[in-house]
Amino acid sequence: MADVTVAQFAEVLKVPVDRLLQQLDQAGIKVGSPQDMISEEAKHELLTHLRRSHGREDPQADAAPRKITLRRKSQSELKLASPQGRARTVNVEVRSKRTYVKREVLEDQARQQQEELDRQRESEELARAALERAESERLERERAERERMEEESRRRTDEENRKRSAEEEARRQAETQAREAAERERKAAAAKVAKPARETTEDKTTRYGRQELHIAGDVSSRHKKKSKARDGRRRAVGEVDGKQHGFEMPTARVVREVAIGEAMTVGELAQKMAVKATEVIKIMMNMGVMATINQTIDQDTAVLVVEEMGHTPVLRKDNVIEESLQGEAEVTHEALQRPPVVTVMGHVDHGKTSLLDYIRRTKVAAGEAGGITQHIGAYHVETSKGMVTFLDTPGHAAFTSMRARGAQVTDIIVLVVAADDGVMPQTIEAIKHAQAAQVPIVVALNKIDKPEADAEKVKQELTKYGVIPEEWGGENIFVPVSARTGQGVDQLLDSILLQSEVLELKAPVEGLAAGFVIESSLEKGRGAVATVLVLRGTLKLGDPLLIGQEFGRVRALFDEAGRPIESAGPSIPVVVLGLSGAPNAGDELLVVESERKAREVAMHRQAKSRDVKLAKQSANMQDVFSTMGEAKADLVRILVKADVQGSVEALRDALVAMSTSEVGVNIVSSGVGGLTESDVTLAAASKARIIAFNVRGDAAARAAIKDHGVDVRYYSIIYEAIDDVRAVLTGMLSPEVKEQIVGLAEVRSVFRSSKFGTVAGCMVIDGYVRRNFPIRVLRNNVVIFEGALESLKRFKDDVNEVRAGTECGIGVKNYNDVREGDQIECYSRVEVARTL
């Protein structure tokens, strides 16, 4: 409340003004008249004085009363009739009293009662627990005493049985000895009487020429029966074969050391602990983890389950499985000579495929879309001087990773350079790949039959990049060839075989095969198809395979012509069927001991790959800020589907490389194979465009495309897809605004006008000055003001434009400090379309 007068404060308090003045005086607050102002501090002093005077200095005194009693008294009249007929009035007074207790008091009482009940209940529980504990201790003591007595009784029984069995054994041995002695005496007496007859009988033979077996009619049968009876008695007392066999306690449970990898299924974990999978699933359900027998669990969960079941977990290192694979691969066999692997590299349209086509006597380049190679082709060629395996790589800029893989797996690189075109960007890139892989280069100067061919110029250009001919003192062989006429092709093959002899290429033919994935794809009816190059060993039908994160068994083998084969040795390209999925191009192929081992390693690699992806997605603060910056950029969302893994990789890398700070490409998904309904649904949900490279959609996918209206583009040439995406990104770029100076006027005089303010009398000395164009005011060639023209006059007329050599009057908007000698620069802003 703001400051008020004493009279207003008395009216608020419902007290007379005189009494309030008296109380203020007693409180030591000096107030002259009822119209004086009273402040907040004075009000607080008055309140403190009143509390002190009424004996309520205690802070608790301000609290509300805990109990209020209301008394009410009412009077009424009651008329009574007397026997005499006269009415009499009686005054009746009714008194009532009602007590109200504060809610907090009732709650405190209820809380106290509840606490008292809790204390009583707790004491009862403690007493009950003590009684139960005492009862359990008594039962435990009784059980222990009972067990001790049973153990003593059992020990005494065992002692008695042992003594009884010993006495029985001694008595039996005595009887046996006596019986044997009597039997010997009886046999000796009978032998003296019937010796001739027994000899005649023993020499008797059967009609089959065998001797008859005669057993004397002694007491052996009775002896056996007694023996069985005695054995039964012995087993009854716990004796078997004369040895004491008492009752034994159950054996202790086996505690096993369980090796746990990063990823394993519930069934595998149960097998390692030698328990049923249902028990493991039950333990996991008690832990709050729902899993099936074939579900993969992480290492931490497996450790908790093993410890819960009483076993000892042993964490296996990440690279144990990989080291075991290396150990299998290091099994050495005799190395024999193998064919060279030759990679043909060079710039696009320099004749790589045509040269290889002439060597193979087939037509390959004509079948490629746009006349360019878009896949790595692998072929082995039988020549009169030996076998050579060729890898044909694409020359387009987008297939950099394909050329890098070809350089890594090859023995010799044939660098094809067009003699009429010279060294080009992809030629330089191929040289760098070869030098990085330390692979010898054989240069094929193609198109030497053309009139404009200049071999010397090409040699001179290649020397800048470290490729020097042998005749110039270098180490590289240069062979002029013509893929059209076949000129120099035989010399090129001789040079390749000569280089391979120098390298002494050898590889073991026997043992587990190892290789390199050149290309992979998904084909309808065949599943995952991988084109591999065998590097060592022999790949056979039925071999368990491990390729990157995929596993399987060799179901079928085909050569490059599609003919089925039984096996493939070193340096032989082959098509493999039977994998769990399409591997990545460039993955290593290994034949392992069993398909189970291949599955285990593949699952391990998949788990590591998932961990790496999750680690990349978990962003630190820098990633957060970079993500914020990306959110501002305009993104083109694209879903890529192609026929082979190499094309997917090339398209994805080429499209992502076009991103800038303003516009970018976001690859929503990429994969190998035809378009499916799920691909279309994903593209519709993420508002992405679909690039289908050499693939088409099935019936369900086509129907989904019509329903969702997804933009699908089909391509067979990679640079057309790249150019279309680049055009889309270019259209999303905001135009660049450039300034262009159109005129310059010099201030000759300055006029003051009450209507227009300061008006500069100017002479246009260059270009023109136009109304509504922005201007700058320059003084001593320094910009001191930027603005716009407020008025432009020629004499007394308003004009839109004044050309050079003409006087005019210029009014500068919102600026009056124009002086003689200043210059007014007129310019225009022009929007220029930007490109990537």
Side-chain angles (χ1 to χ4, degrees), residues 639-642 668-686 688-690 695-698 701 704-705 708 710 712:
L639 188 147
V640 178
K641 292 300 288 289
V668 175
S669 176
S670 61
V672 179
L675 286 177
T676 62
E677 186 178 5
S678 60
D679 295 331
V680 178
T681 305
L682 175 60
S686 57
R689 308 180 184 196
I690 297 179
V695 294
R696 298 294 182 269
D698 52 13
I705 291 172
H708 297 289
V710 178
V712 181

Side-chain angles (χ1 to χ4, degrees), residues 58-188:
D58 186 9
Q60 298 297 330
D62 293 338
R66 301 170 62 87
K67 182 170 66 175
I68 298 175
T69 302
L70 298 180
R71 294 180 177 85
R72 178 176 295 175
K73 182 173 66 174
S74 62
Q75 294 181 354
S76 61
E77 295 181 352
L78 182 63
K79 293 184 179 181
L80 299 176
S82 62
Q84 292 78 14
R86 290 182 296 178
R88 187 178 58 173
T89 302
V90 179
N91 293 328
V92 180
E93 183 176 283
V94 179
R95 296 180 181 179
S96 62
K97 181 174 72 172
R98 181 171 295 180
T99 302
Y100 296 92
V101 182
K102 196 172 182 180
R103 188 186 299 262
E104 288 80 357
V105 176
L106 296 177
E107 292 177 353
D108 291 340
Q109 293 176 356
R111 186 165 54 253
Q112 291 174 1
Q113 293 176 358
Q114 184 65 30
E115 291 175 355
E116 183 65 26
L117 290 175
D118 293 340
R119 282 195 297 271
Q120 293 178 1
R121 191 178 298 110
E122 185 176 359
S123 61
E124 291 176 358
E125 291 178 355
L126 292 175
R128 189 182 303 109
L131 291 175
E132 292 177 355
R133 188 162 54 253
E135 182 66 18
S136 63
E137 291 177 355
R138 184 183 63 79
L139 294 176
E140 184 66 23
R141 285 195 300 271
E142 291 179 356
R143 187 182 62 80
E145 183 66 22
R146 186 168 57 252
E147 290 179 354
R148 185 181 62 79
M149 294 178 65
E150 290 177 356
E151 182 66 25
E152 291 180 357
S153 175
R154 186 165 54 251
R155 193 182 305 110
R156 285 194 300 269
T157 304
D158 293 343
E159 290 291 336
E160 293 175 359
N161 292 336
R162 194 178 299 109
K163 290 179 182 180
R164 190 181 300 112
S165 62
E167 293 174 357
E168 182 71 19
E169 181 67 21
R171 184 180 60 79
R172 188 170 56 253
Q173 288 180 359
E175 291 178 356
T176 303
Q177 291 175 0
R179 192 165 46 250
E180 289 178 354
E183 183 67 23
R184 283 196 300 269
E185 292 177 358
R186 190 185 63 78
K187 286 184 178 181

Side-chain angles (χ1 to χ4, degrees), residues 555-605:
R555 306 297 181 191
L557 289 175
F558 301 94
D559 61 7
E560 65 268 18
R563 296 184 297 266
I565 57 176
E566 298 292 331
S567 62
S571 302
I572 300 298
V574 65
V575 177
V576 179
L577 272 65
L579 295 173
S580 60
N584 294 325
D587 286 345
E588 183 182 9
L589 176 144
L590 289 176
V591 175
V592 295
E593 57 187 6
S594 64
E595 189 173 358
R596 178 179 178 181
K597 181 66 174 293
R599 182 186 294 107
E600 180 183 3
V601 180
M603 297 295 291
H604 169 73
R605 291 178 177 176

Side-chain angles (χ1 to χ4, degrees), residues 320-383:
V320 169
I321 298 180
E322 303 293 344
E323 290 177 356
S324 65
L325 288 178
Q326 294 176 2
E328 293 178 3
E330 290 175 358
V331 178
T332 56
H333 294 275
E334 182 183 0
L336 303 177
Q337 187 175 2
R338 64 173 177 83
V341 178
V342 179
T343 300
V344 183
M345 304 176 73
H347 192 70
V348 62
D349 201 25
H350 273 202
K352 300 181 297 297
T353 306
S354 299
L355 178 61
L356 183 60
D357 164 48
Y358 185 86
I359 296 174
R360 296 176 57 225
R361 303 296 187 197
T362 57
K363 293 296 182 183
V364 177
E368 295 284 356
I372 66 170
T373 301
Q374 301 180 114
H375 307 148
I376 289 184
Y379 320 97
H380 73 282
V381 180
E382 291 281 358
T383 66

